[in-house]
Amino acid sequence: MNDEPKRYHHGDLRRALLDAALDVLAEGQGWKFTLREIARRAGVSHTAAYKHFPDKAALLSELAAIGFERLRTDLDAALSNRSQASADSFVAMARAYVGFGLSNPNLYRLMFSADARQRANVRRDDRGEAALDILIEFIEMGQRSGWLREGDAREFAGAGWAHLHGLTLLMIDDLLAPKVGPNACEAAIAVLLEGLIASPQK
Amino acid sequence: MNDEPKRYHHGDLRRALLDAALDVLAEGQGWKFTLREIARRAGVSHTAAYKHFPDKAALLSELAAIGFERLRTDLDAALSNRSQASADSFVAMARAYVGFGLSNPNLYRLMFSADARQRANVRRDDRGEAALDILIEFIEMGQRSGWLREGDAREFAGAGWAHLHGLTLLMIDDLLAPKVGPNACEAAIAVLLEGLIASPQK
DNA sequence: ACCTGAACACCGTTCAAGT
DNA sequence: ACCTGAACACCGTTCAAGT
């Protein structure tokens, strides 16, 4: 397919560097990689990256943005094909969140690492907290339907995000299964759901 | 007090290195520090550390162990002076957990970093998941008293730990306050509590 | 037994120079 | 406009040598 062998100018080195980094994250152990290795994989000198990213932190920040975008895609997919906000769709979304972390452990850790975040202050609203936005919208719908507790939807969403974030990280690090058992993840999601639904008597 | 100036032999260099590292964590931005800087602070050659730690990861692992110990101390302190497991004492413990993270952000991140954990496989039961053990015990008591929902205490504790862990990290990174508001932390703790207490009608 | 100094391989980053 | 090569400051780690 790619019939042009190797030219001096790469074409889209920026994209190639990002893809190489995503590959390393997908294979690798840990989210720490070297800029020189990425350049090596892209078949380019290790200084070429600096024409496309001011420094390594900028590359990490861009990778984090890609990760947040993919996470949002996964969450949206879990919620689509479901008519409205129900307990089932909440559980599906929660599973999708944790599932994203377990499928992309290194990327997920990178997304919340200090290195990636130090430059993410720019336009962090439109992507970083996408999960939070989705949760807010979901909870507002659930409250209108009456099955979610009344109260500040943003605060409930924050609690939900915190719960799913911590659960995802503990699952990635395999810190729950040894002592809690194989049902740790499902049980944790159930506790969160229970904390958000309206009390039956109120 | 310390009337002996500087000897060739340090005395307790191991402890001095750990203290210097804890100082850097307490001051510093980020939990990344250099072994050479720690040695510099301890007033010693940068190769001296290798007589006390096999490598940098071992130092990090030891620091993480110290952090888990301090966290347990804080949680125990929050639960002491309280006659028994009540909703109030649960909230106090939850606040102590998040408070520990906010007071020691770099140490808390280090405790759950891959670098510190790669060597922590040894004797990780007796310290790493101390918070989980405390939660399990607390929940078992609350269940006996009847105000906590019936079910697998270890699973509830796992859910609680996940919730507090995620909340702590999001608070450290200041990811909740901007969009959720100043009550984000208290609200999240309330949601967790709601998810664990027994339904009033059951 | 404990620490130092030189050395090695490596990394992020810069910059003059090539195409 | 885009990439390379040499160079710089730095780091983790090793090891022979000092006290």
Side-chain angles (χ1 to χ4, degrees), chain A residues 8 33-36 46-47 50 55-56:
Chain A
Y8 191 80
F33 54 78
T34 186
L35 207 55
R36 286 165 119 104
H46 68 270
T47 59
Y50 288 87
D55 52 22
K56 188 183 179 183

Side-chain angles (χ1 to χ4, degrees), chain B residues 68-154:
Chain B
F68 278 115
E69 214 170 296
R70 291 187 180 176
L71 173 58
R72 175 168 51 189
T73 301
D74 282 13
L75 296 183
D76 283 340
L79 287 180
S80 73
N81 301 330
R82 293 170 187 277
S83 50
Q84 56 190 358
S86 63
D88 277 353
S89 53
F90 182 85
V91 171
M93 179 175 57
R95 284 181 183 145
Y97 191 103
V98 179
F100 175 85
L102 290 177
S103 300
N104 313 277
N106 294 324
L107 180 57
Y108 191 83
R109 299 199 75 148
L110 170 65
M111 286 159 59
F112 291 92
S113 78
D115 292 327
R117 176 148 289 100
Q118 73 185 55
R119 284 188 176 272
N121 36 5
V122 208
R123 64 190 169 124
R124 80 170 170 187
D125 294 306
D126 48 3
R127 61 177 195 211
E129 295 85 358
L132 185 54
D133 288 333
I134 291 177
L135 276 167
I136 292 174
E137 199 183 341
F138 184 94
I139 287 174
E140 284 173 345
M141 289 199 301
Q143 287 176 327
R144 280 194 292 269
S145 301
W147 68 278
L148 280 182
R149 190 142 33 101
E150 291 296 319
D152 190 321
R154 292 168 308 139

